[in-house]
Amino acid sequence: MPSAFNFAASPFDCLSPAEQEQVRRHVDIAYFREGEVVLELGAEPTHLYVVIKGEVTQSEDGEVVASYGPDDSFDGRGLVAGRVSSRFVAAEEVVAYQLAKATVKALIASNATFGALLFSDLGHKLSALSQRQEQRELQSLTLARVDEAYLRPAHMVDAQTDVLSVVQLFQSQRTSNVLVRGLPGGLGIFTTTGLQRAILDGRPLNRLAVGELASSPVITVRPSDQLGEAMALLLRRRVHRLVVTEGDEVRGILEALDVFSFLANHSHLITVQIEQAPDLDALAEAALQITRLISLLYRNGTRIGLMATLVQQLNARLFERAWQMIAPAGLVANSCLFVMGSEGRGEQLLKTDQDNGLLLRDGYTAPDDLDAICQRFSQALSRFGYPECPGHIMLSNPAWRGSASAFGQKVRQWLLMPEADSLMHLAIFMDAHAVAGDATLLEGVRRGLMTLATDNDAVLGRFAAVIEAFGSPSPWWDRLLPHGQAQRPLDLKKEGIFPIVHGVRSLALARHVAPTGTVARIEALVADATLDATLGEELTQSLHVLMGLRLKAGLAELDAGRAVSGGLAPERLGSLERDLLKDTLGVVKRFKALLRHRFRLDAL
């Protein structure tokens, strides 16, 4: 066989050296002329094909549903099922590898991951991939450098400093330890554990020198050391902290909690920065770390759902701290700051436009400079990397702040007197999530909306019909073709994410479902039998695949110094990514068909 078989392409990238040799011994070359049928509907397939050159289209009921270019394989599902369920035709001259059925079955029997990636549904493919990613994630994180983790500031005192002064430093600097210089054994450390011994000593703390109770010498690591080595050192020496030094310079303190948090999900480190931030400048630095965290987690294979949850929690705390710094305490206590859109649903990864609002308690008199306060908050978020909303759906716009009763009346009007803008506003508000102040204010408005939510098909139909507002004149599969003229950017939000999100949102409104997250809504709709369990699982998986691909494209743009556009270049997808994208957009297509039937959209 030719030696150029690409074992880096899915699903062959999971084969062992012995299994790769098995492929080399049994693979052959096939040639098909333009227009020639490669596999006919209902036929019993004898080979698995891997395209070397050219393009093969897959059709169902006369409609092209997928295309296959170089390194793509087909038809694994038909090979295992014993019958081809689609028609495969050479759209142009095709050269392909062909692997006999017996060899494919032998590989499936010896390698479960290969089988899952070859012919399983979307869920089994993702499960197989996650098992491989978990191993890579732990390995890559332990190989990270010490200075990639969060280093706490090192506070230095002389050995003769009294313990009372050290306790006051603990309080003012929000720390639990200080480094002590001037000890016979070199640099030492005094912690809250030492403070317990100081109290038990019996002498007044203002007369007790910290050097008498400091531990010395300290255990050090270098910034360039691996985190895995630092973790082993912590465990071996049975200590909770390491001093990070470079030459004679102390760079900071590496705490065991921070090491384990870094290896777990890193979010704890940013939470510490947010909590300890004394001003908006420090919060801006923490906001920058969130983007770095997402990049690191993605490249280490962390699940998209977990990443989105972590980002929502971090952003909520970031927004809350910023609001507390900007707004007077009385306003914070008598209001509810809420976020909407992907942030409200807990599905935001990279920073997007601000979507937020402010509810005021009925009877509360807001400060005279409320508008200036809200303007400062929006400006702070812009500084944190969240650009202003082009539609001004933000609390700096008076239309998106007001008393709870007045805002509740506005929301009811959006529902009962639907127009283009009001339906859009209603959809955005349905995803609202409280991040600061009194969350019961938002809950009250939401309860009022759900009480009035109706099964009126005309209203619900107009609300759901927005799923048809986006799309391209050419079908999505056309932009996955391996030809240069077809390589136009694919907007994953419009083609896949929005139809899932808004379709599920529409069903949630019809069924009075309370949760705001798309996944939580899907679970509720499956529980009340509105959605089939299999479709519900496929929608969740598809949403996360699309979010992951969109994140990958956005990170690539950031690495190149460009603004995040939201577009995906199909030519940059690997064979596995193209396969997953085809599967997910197929799920979206079926879901839109269900929505058209449920809400009678064809009659609108």
Side-chain angles (χ1 to χ4, degrees):
M1 69 145 276
S3 60
F5 192 96
N6 185 9
F7 285 104
S10 176
F12 299 95
D13 59 339
C14 65
L15 298 181
S16 68
E19 290 164 343
Q20 291 181 13
E21 182 58 32
Q22 188 177 2
V23 171
R24 291 190 182 96
R25 289 198 310 268
H26 295 92
V27 76
D28 204 349
I29 298 291
Y31 170 78
F32 301 95
R33 297 183 302 275
E34 180 178 351
E36 184 176 353
V37 176
V38 181
L39 290 171
E40 186 58 87
L41 175 67
E44 181 179 351
T46 58
H47 293 83
L48 175 72
Y49 295 96
V50 182
V51 178
I52 301 173
K53 174 187 175 183
E55 176 205 346
V56 173
T57 58
Q58 177 183 355
S59 301
E60 295 177 1
D61 299 324
E63 179 184 0
V64 176
V65 296
S67 66
Y68 301 86
D71 291 334
D72 289 340
S73 61
F74 68 95
D75 176 41
R77 294 183 184 181
L79 198 68
V80 174
R83 287 289 183 274
V84 178
S85 59
S86 304
R87 194 170 191 256
F88 295 83
V89 177
E92 59 181 42
E93 184 179 67
V94 170
V95 180
Y97 294 111
Q98 59 179 18
L99 195 59
K101 181 177 183 178
T103 303
V104 175
K105 286 197 169 184
L107 292 173
I108 291 172
S110 64
N111 191 317
T113 301
F114 175 81
L117 296 178
L118 180 65
F119 70 89
S120 294
D121 57 23
L122 182 62
H124 284 91
K125 287 181 181 178
L126 295 177
S127 176
L129 289 173
S130 67
Q131 293 176 13
R132 292 195 292 175
Q133 290 170 339
E134 286 169 2
Q135 295 296 324
R136 291 199 298 266
E137 178 180 4
L138 181 58
Q139 182 182 20
S140 59
L141 288 175
T142 55
L143 293 177
R145 289 166 50 109
V146 163
D147 56 6
E148 292 183 60
Y150 175 56
L151 302 184
R152 296 176 185 253
H155 303 283
M156 196 84 65
V157 299
D158 292 324
Q160 298 306 314
T161 305
D162 64 86
V163 172
L164 181 60
S165 297
V166 171
V167 173
Q168 292 171 339
L169 188 148
F170 281 178
Q171 178 70 20
S172 64
Q173 298 299 321
R174 296 186 177 184
T175 185
S176 61
N177 62 84
V178 294
L179 297 180
V180 183
R181 58 185 168 227
L183 297 174
L187 192 64
I189 188 168
F190 180 81
T191 70
T192 51
T193 301
L195 177 60
Q196 296 173 9
R197 298 202 308 272
I199 294 172
L200 294 174
D201 181 85
R203 285 177 285 175
L205 297 184
N206 62 347
R207 298 181 185 175
L208 181 59
V210 70
E212 295 186 40
L213 297 170
S215 300
S216 176
V218 296
I219 301 171
T220 64
V221 292
R222 294 169 300 179
S224 58
D225 289 342
Q226 292 179 355
L227 269 183
E229 296 174 353
M231 180 175 62
L233 184 60
L234 286 164
L235 296 173
R236 185 169 62 250
R237 301 297 293 271
R238 298 183 180 181
V239 295
H240 299 289
R241 299 169 185 85
L242 300 173
V243 180
V244 182
T245 61
E246 192 165 26
D248 295 330
E249 179 187 359
V250 174
R251 293 280 300 276
I253 305 294
L254 179 65
E255 296 203 359
L257 178 61
D258 298 334
V259 174
F260 296 130
S261 296
F262 184 93
L263 296 175
N265 59 44
H266 317 254
S267 63
H268 166 75
L269 312 180
I270 301 176
T271 301
V272 171
Q273 289 180 276
I274 293 173
E275 296 293 344
Q276 295 184 349
D279 50 37
L280 292 176
D281 289 340
L283 282 182
E285 177 60 29
L288 181 63
Q289 295 298 325
I290 294 176
T291 300
R292 293 173 181 168
L293 166 68
I294 291 303
S295 177
L296 181 61
L297 291 180
Y298 175 76
R299 289 180 170 89
N300 287 326
T302 304
R303 296 188 305 276
I304 291 295
L306 174 59
M307 291 168 57
T309 299
L310 293 175
V311 171
Q312 183 184 43
Q313 294 170 349
L314 291 171
N315 283 346
R317 188 59 185 131
L318 179 72
F319 298 160
E320 181 181 28
R321 287 280 286 141
W323 182 240
Q324 291 169 344
M325 290 180 183
I326 293 171
L331 175 58
V332 173
N334 289 281
S335 67
C336 177
L337 174 67
F338 60 91
V339 295
M340 298 171 286
S342 58
E343 182 64 56
R345 297 192 304 273
E347 295 160 15
Q348 183 186 99
L349 293 170
L350 296 178
K351 296 179 175 69
T352 56
D353 299 342
Q354 298 180 37
D355 283 318
N356 48 51
L358 184 69
L359 296 175
L360 302 174
R361 194 183 310 279
D362 288 340
Y364 169 71
T365 302
D368 293 338
D369 60 343
L370 176 63
D371 185 70
I373 293 170
C374 293
Q375 293 291 340
R376 286 199 297 273
F377 180 77
S378 295
Q379 291 166 3
L381 293 196
S382 295
R383 184 180 172 192
F384 295 167
Y386 302 87
E388 292 191 359
C389 174
H392 300 288
I393 301 175
M394 43 203 293
L395 75 165
S396 58
N397 178 358
W400 284 93
R401 63 176 189 256
S403 68
S405 58
F407 207 92
Q409 183 176 359
K410 181 184 298 186
V411 171
R412 290 192 291 273
Q413 185 176 9
W414 290 341
L415 175 67
L416 300 177
M417 302 177 64
E419 297 178 356
D421 288 344
S422 65
L423 288 174
M424 180 191 70
H425 292 160
L426 177 62
I428 293 171
F429 179 77
M430 279 188 65
D431 300 336
H433 173 73
V435 295
D438 187 353
T440 62
L441 298 177
L442 177 60
E443 292 171 5
V445 175
R446 195 192 310 279
R447 280 197 304 270
L449 170 63
M450 288 301 174
T451 300
L452 288 176
T454 175
D455 290 331
N456 184 299
D457 283 347
V459 173
L460 293 174
R462 291 189 64 183
F463 184 76
V466 185
I467 64 168
E468 307 285 15
F470 297 126
S472 170
S474 60
W476 56 261
W477 58 263
D478 187 55
R479 272 156 289 157
L480 298 181
L481 300 180
H483 302 293
Q485 69 270 23
Q487 299 302 296
R488 297 185 300 278
L490 185 67
D491 191 325
L492 293 180
K493 180 178 180 179
K494 293 181 179 180
E495 297 284 353
I497 295 175
F498 180 80
I500 293 176
V501 167
H502 189 68
V504 170
R505 183 194 285 138
S506 300
L507 292 173
L509 179 62
R511 300 297 299 164
H512 300 192
V513 170
T516 57
T518 302
V519 173
R521 284 169 172 165
I522 289 172
E523 291 172 348
L525 293 168
V526 169
D528 74 1
T530 299
L531 284 178
D532 174 77
T534 299
L535 177 59
E537 183 65 21
E538 289 180 335
L539 288 171
T540 297
Q541 294 163 347
S542 297
L543 175 64
H544 288 164
V545 168
L546 294 167
M547 289 171 61
L549 291 174
R550 192 165 184 249
L551 172 61
K552 179 182 179 181
L555 289 173
E557 289 177 318
L558 290 177
D559 289 342
R562 301 193 303 269
V564 176
S565 67
L568 173 71
E571 68 272 14
R572 295 190 177 183
L573 295 177
S575 57
L576 174 59
E577 291 171 323
R578 285 199 303 272
D579 189 29
L580 292 175
L581 183 55
K582 291 171 184 174
D583 285 348
T584 57
L585 293 178
V587 171
V588 172
K589 180 180 178 180
R590 296 197 302 273
F591 183 49
K592 291 177 72 172
L594 180 150
L595 294 170
R596 292 189 190 100
H597 175 73
R598 164 62 182 84
F599 295 109
R600 303 177 185 176
L601 300 186
D602 293 337
L604 295 179

